[in-house]
Amino acid sequence: MKLKIKKLHPDAVVPQYQTAGAACFDLHAIDDGFVDDISHPNWTFPIGLAFEVPAGHAMLIFSRSGHGFSYGVRLANCVGVIDSDYRGPVSVKLTADMEGRLQVKGGDRIAQAMIVPIPRLEFEVVEELTTTERGTGGFGSTGA
């Protein structure tokens, strides 16, 4: 499968997988910035790219695990969803959850993304749902 990418900025970095077994490809900032828990708890980083996500798929954007573990920084909306019919610029907003400071330079990896198939569902209203062993048991109902 091919993913069409449009460079919107000369410094934009075309994504790539870092290893043969990587599930996600990296997204890179084009501008400098920083995220910390006091003066800049949120910072939006443009990546200078637009994508043509194949029909029947979506691009999911995730935080980089090192940002969370080392700096307490995550994607502001936890998971970004780029629909197959969106063709505009993609940005990444990072949020600080704890003490620490993440300094970002243009070209740094700031998020990771994957393309996933999205089935189109038909919605059916019914009077009853099939029963299961768990049933309507909520939080904690399957054990500690």
Side-chain angles (χ1 to χ4, degrees):
M1 176 185 307
K2 289 190 179 188
L3 178 62
K4 293 181 180 179
I5 300 169
K6 181 178 181 181
K7 286 184 82 167
L8 305 173
H9 190 280
D11 295 333
V13 177
V14 174
Q16 63 181 10
Y17 295 96
Q18 293 299 309
T19 67
C24 293
F25 49 88
D26 291 316
L27 302 177
H28 300 255
I30 58 173
D31 295 330
D32 298 347
F34 64 92
V35 184
D36 64 34
D37 65 319
I38 299 185
S39 60
H40 290 91
N42 300 289
W43 198 287
T44 301
F45 296 94
I47 65 167
L49 299 172
F51 298 86
E52 186 174 319
V53 175
H57 293 75
M59 184 167 78
L60 303 182
I61 302 174
F62 303 96
S63 295
R64 297 191 69 234
S65 56
H67 289 172
F69 282 103
S70 300
Y71 305 101
V73 171
R74 63 173 168 80
L75 214 62
N77 59 337
C78 296
V79 177
V81 178
I82 307 299
D83 297 312
S84 64
D85 57 354
Y86 177 68
R87 296 292 186 270
V90 173
S91 293
V92 172
K93 185 173 185 177
L94 299 179
T95 297
D97 286 328
M98 61 185 218
E99 272 188 52
R101 179 181 173 106
L102 174 63
Q103 183 73 42
V104 174
K105 299 287 184 197
D108 285 354
R109 295 178 290 161
I110 55 166
Q112 55 187 340
M114 67 171 52
I115 303 295
V116 296
I118 305 295
R120 278 315 262 194
L121 304 175
E122 292 181 29
F123 299 97
E124 178 183 0
V125 177
V126 297
E127 294 296 321
E128 295 292 328
L129 301 175
T130 57
T131 59
T132 66
E133 185 177 326
R134 182 177 181 178
T136 59
F139 296 114
S141 67
T142 61

